[in-house]
Amino acid sequence: MSNDFMGQSENTISEAGCLYIVATPIGNIEDISTRAVNMLKQVDLIAAEDTRHSQRLCQHYAISTPMISLHDHNEEARIQQLATKLDNGQSIALISDAGTPLISDPGFKLVRELRLKGYKVSPIPGPSAIITALSVAGLPTDSFSFFGFLPAKSGSRKQKYQSLANREETLVFYESSHRIMASLEDALTIFGSRQAVIARELTKNYETILSGDLQQLLETLETDHNQTKGEFVLMISGAARAESVNSVDSESLLKELLVELPPNKASKIVAKITGKNKKELYNLALELKAK
């Protein structure tokens, strides 16, 4: 393996005055990289979403770095405080309660402001509930969209689902234990019998991956209340692709357009709609015009 791929050693902080975005486990405490552990030990300060929650991780890996809180309610107030520490040559690690920070977690405002001010922000990659769930879902992953937590109220949640009803990519959401049943009911109302997957308590003792159409998933949760407990990633298959535009009857379309347009312009429009060869369509247009 080349030195270029390996990069420099993390035995020492690579550059002072940097904010490191450090991914931590989403459940199983062993799902953290050696690099992430080393970085948490070496930085001058850890900014954690919940310091009490993160203490367990730090104790497990003998991380004694000082820690302060950074959450939705104090993030803006922390920005200047942390910028001052960076100015003084200190390095800081940002962690969330679980997974990769900023993914439906605090930190967006901090990272945005520090980058705008020219500070270095560097990722230490690792676990993410979204990617972990998609990797075992068996749904298309060449294209997917993540929408975070769904609205708490049914009316707003249905509106959200309805706005996504024609999207063709896999739809990914976070959902809580006390709303998963209602969320599935609303999804069934809007999407019908689409295929979906629920990933529950990923990497934890009671990890469960359930798949089927939305009706089947709802029935499973109704008959097994244990499946409604924990943290969920809900994935719903996208809308079926609309009928290909290539199936449009090119000759019929040309006939209609030639009533109002010259052959050159009519053939350009049909080529754009169907993706067919413009020259061939132009020749067909001339034949139709001559009849």
Side-chain angles (χ1 to χ4, degrees):
M1 190 176 293
S2 71
N3 289 332
D4 287 341
F5 180 81
M6 290 295 292
Q8 70 182 84
S9 171
E10 292 295 347
N11 290 331
T12 58
I13 292 296
S14 58
E15 181 178 335
C18 179
L19 175 68
Y20 293 93
I21 310 302
V22 182
T24 57
I26 59 175
N28 190 315
I29 202 167
E30 296 181 1
D31 290 337
I32 187 170
S33 70
T34 301
R35 183 184 179 209
V37 172
N38 288 340
M39 190 61 70
L40 292 176
K41 290 180 177 180
Q42 295 166 22
V43 293
D44 299 288
L45 181 70
I46 297 173
E49 183 179 3
D50 185 333
T51 56
R52 293 169 298 179
H53 178 89
S54 297
Q55 279 296 342
R56 177 172 172 263
L57 177 72
C58 289
Q59 290 171 359
H60 184 85
Y61 287 102
I63 298 166
S64 58
T65 306
M67 189 181 302
I68 63 170
S69 65
L70 188 142
H71 46 70
D72 287 329
H73 302 295
N74 72 354
E75 182 176 354
E76 291 188 27
R78 290 289 195 204
I79 293 174
Q80 186 53 54
Q81 178 185 0
L82 297 181
T84 298
K85 292 183 179 297
L86 294 174
D87 286 335
N88 292 333
Q90 297 185 47
S91 290
I92 303 166
L94 176 68
I95 63 175
S96 61
D97 286 350
T100 301
L102 278 74
I103 310 301
S104 281
D105 282 325
F108 153 68
K109 295 175 183 177
L110 174 68
V111 169
R112 178 186 62 187
E113 291 303 313
L114 291 182
R115 294 192 71 247
L116 286 173
K117 295 177 185 296
Y119 294 97
K120 182 178 180 182
V121 181
S122 181
I124 310 297
S128 168
I130 306 163
I131 303 303
T132 303
L134 284 167
S135 73
V136 295
L139 293 174
T141 56
D142 57 326
S143 179
F144 64 88
S145 293
F146 172 62
F147 300 97
F149 283 95
L150 286 155
K153 295 183 178 180
S154 179
S156 298
R157 191 163 51 238
K158 286 179 180 177
Q159 287 181 359
K160 182 65 176 179
Y161 281 146
Q162 188 62 58
S163 72
L164 304 172
N166 295 322
R167 299 281 286 263
E168 295 181 354
E169 74 272 27
T170 297
L171 310 175
V172 186
F173 310 91
Y174 284 159
E175 193 51 281
S176 62
S177 58
H178 58 282
R179 289 201 296 265
I180 186 63
M181 290 289 292
S183 189
L184 285 174
E185 290 171 356
D186 290 341
L188 181 61
T189 298
I190 301 301
F191 297 120
S193 59
R194 282 199 202 174
Q195 292 296 302
V197 176
I198 296 172
R200 183 180 76 93
E201 293 291 87
L202 287 167
T203 77
K204 301 177 184 177
N205 289 335
Y206 297 104
E207 173 184 279
T208 309
I209 315 296
L210 298 174
S211 59
D213 63 41
L214 287 165
Q215 180 67 53
Q216 291 170 330
L217 290 177
L218 188 57
E219 291 173 356
T220 298
L221 268 62
E222 287 173 340
T223 56
D224 185 355
H225 187 67
N226 287 327
Q227 297 301 328
T228 66
K229 300 176 181 178
E231 298 175 328
F232 297 83
V233 180
L234 170 61
M235 297 158 282
I236 301 174
S237 61
R241 293 188 181 278
E243 186 179 0
S244 172
V245 292
N246 286 325
S247 66
V248 173
D249 186 333
S250 302
E251 184 171 340
S252 297
L253 185 56
L254 269 175
K255 286 179 179 179
E256 293 297 325
L257 291 174
L258 286 170
V259 174
E260 303 289 341
L261 299 173
N264 185 46
K265 194 162 186 178
S267 60
K268 279 184 180 179
I269 293 173
V270 176
K272 187 174 182 179
I273 293 173
T274 64
K276 292 185 177 180
N277 184 277
K278 177 186 166 184
K279 186 175 181 180
E280 292 178 1
L281 288 169
Y282 177 68
N283 290 332
L284 176 60
L286 291 178
E287 292 175 10
L288 293 170
K289 195 74 173 175
K291 289 181 178 178

